[in-house]
Amino acid sequence: MAQAAAVAKPPTPPRRRRASATPRRLPYLLIAPAALLMLGFIAYPVLSVFYYSLQDYNPTKPWRNGFAGFGNFTRIFTEDPLFWDTLVFSAKWVFVEVGLQLLFGLALALIVNQTFVGRALGRALVFSPWAVSGVLTSAIWVLLYNSQTGITRYLADMGIGDYGVSWLSDTSTVFPAVVVADLWRGVPFFAILILADLQSVSRDLYEAAEVDGASRFKQFLHITLPHLKDAIILSTLLRAVWEFNNVDLLYTLTGGGPAGETTTLPLYIANTSVDAHDFGYASALTTVAFVILLFCSMVYLRLSKFGGEK
């Protein structure tokens, strides 16, 4: 009987092992080194700028170094007319550049999205300027605008304009000249992002619109643009931040001249820190620029309803 009972007794189910916490933490452990490096390379410079913005720090005049409190910020808003001039020009630069780059980038994206012979080559040519570095782009346009060997020389040979004219040295032509140079580099950015989003639009929507008698313009207005809303908002925001912080192109082409006509706020900051060695005041200017960008970005995303219904 005892033997039968022992045989009939169901086996004891194996005890479930407690799930180890290590597998759940493994992804975080794997990305921890990269995260710490990014934190060090990003957080430390940002905190350093905030710290030096409250200091008088000039390595060439160490006897004046020390805690300044909010003196640098008071100087920015009450004693420095160049701050307001460069801020106004920065706003003008961003508005003109981003607006034109979006317009031409959208047009190029719509063109290369069509089916035609040599489309792959056309796309490669459209996108190639974006692969060129900023320094090389600046060098190319310095040569193109050279008064002896550049565009003006060939125009003068054809009877258009005079010899020896430098568009980068004339206050009436310097702004259009630098705008064109930066357009060459910036338009492909919008074309790439918009083309990628265009290719995700269902062809059924356009076919249904054609059946209903909608024109090409109405299809663009009611199908294409709503679908591109988020891509346009994000690309314009990113490009606006990049254009606001644009230093390499303007510094190489004009150095902020002539007569300060092309000096943006970041270029003014660079000149204050590198040339004048006034790192404390330059840090305060950087902090103000950071706050301006952060505020404008938040307002723009709020007003544009990014991520909302299309």
Side-chain angles (χ1 to χ4, degrees):
M1 296 291 294
Q3 185 178 3
V7 173
K9 185 177 180 181
T12 304
R15 182 177 296 179
R16 297 180 62 183
R17 294 184 178 181
R18 187 175 181 180
S20 175
T22 303
R24 294 198 302 269
R25 297 176 182 174
L26 183 60
Y28 301 100
L29 294 175
L30 293 175
I31 66 173
L36 291 175
L37 286 175
M38 291 182 62
L39 184 64
F41 282 107
I42 295 176
Y44 176 74
V46 171
L47 294 177
S48 297
V49 168
F50 291 155
Y51 170 77
Y52 284 111
S53 67
L54 303 175
Q55 308 288 324
D56 282 327
Y57 182 66
N58 189 331
T60 63
K61 301 176 181 178
W63 58 89
R64 295 184 180 180
N65 294 344
F67 182 72
F70 292 99
N72 288 326
F73 296 97
T74 303
R75 176 183 167 190
I76 290 173
F77 294 108
T78 61
E79 303 176 14
D80 189 358
L82 288 178
F83 167 74
W84 297 106
D85 293 341
T86 56
L87 183 61
V88 170
F89 178 76
S90 297
K92 174 184 175 182
W93 171 259
V94 170
F95 181 79
V96 172
E97 277 294 340
V98 175
L100 291 177
Q101 289 177 21
L102 173 61
L103 180 64
F104 289 116
L106 177 60
L108 280 177
L110 292 173
I111 291 173
V112 297
N113 191 45
Q114 304 299 318
T115 302
F116 57 89
V117 178
R119 183 174 67 171
L121 177 60
R123 289 181 175 180
L125 292 176
V126 168
F127 300 153
S128 58
W130 183 246
V132 181
S133 67
V135 175
L136 184 56
T137 299
S138 303
I140 292 172
W141 285 95
V142 164
L143 295 175
L144 288 174
Y145 287 144
N146 187 283
S147 59
Q148 303 299 323
T149 59
I151 299 173
T152 55
R153 167 67 182 274
Y154 292 100
L155 291 177
D157 290 340
M158 294 185 293
I160 303 174
D162 301 323
Y163 288 100
V165 175
S166 176
W167 290 345
L168 298 178
S169 301
D170 191 340
T171 56
S172 62
T173 58
V174 63
F175 183 71
V178 293
V179 164
V180 170
D182 200 53
L183 280 177
W184 182 80
R185 181 177 64 171
V187 167
F189 170 77
F190 284 95
I192 292 170
L193 290 184
I194 293 175
L195 177 62
D197 209 23
L198 277 175
Q199 292 178 333
S200 64
V201 183
S202 175
R203 296 300 307 172
D204 296 339
L205 296 175
Y206 294 104
E207 293 174 359
E210 289 178 0
V211 171
D212 292 338
S215 62
R216 286 290 185 90
F217 178 75
K218 288 185 176 179
Q219 293 178 30
F220 172 76
L221 194 63
H222 297 288
I223 298 176
T224 306
L225 276 185
H227 187 87
L228 296 176
K229 173 190 171 186
D230 285 348
I232 291 176
I233 293 173
L234 182 60
S235 58
T236 51
L237 177 60
L238 291 175
R239 197 62 190 157
V241 173
W242 294 340
E243 288 297 344
F244 184 88
N245 293 318
N246 190 334
V247 172
D248 54 354
L249 182 72
L250 292 174
Y251 184 83
T252 306
L253 290 179
T254 66
E261 287 290 324
T262 58
T263 303
T264 59
L265 181 56
L267 185 55
Y268 177 45
I269 294 172
N271 292 333
T272 302
S273 58
V274 177
D275 296 339
H277 305 290
D278 194 351
F279 293 99
Y281 189 61
S283 298
L285 289 169
T286 304
T287 303
V288 173
F290 170 77
V291 173
I292 291 173
L293 281 178
L294 180 63
F295 175 77
C296 292
S297 299
M298 294 174 61
V299 171
Y300 179 69
L301 291 176
R302 181 72 175 179
L303 295 178
S304 62
K305 299 179 181 179
F306 176 72
E309 294 183 1
K310 298 180 181 180

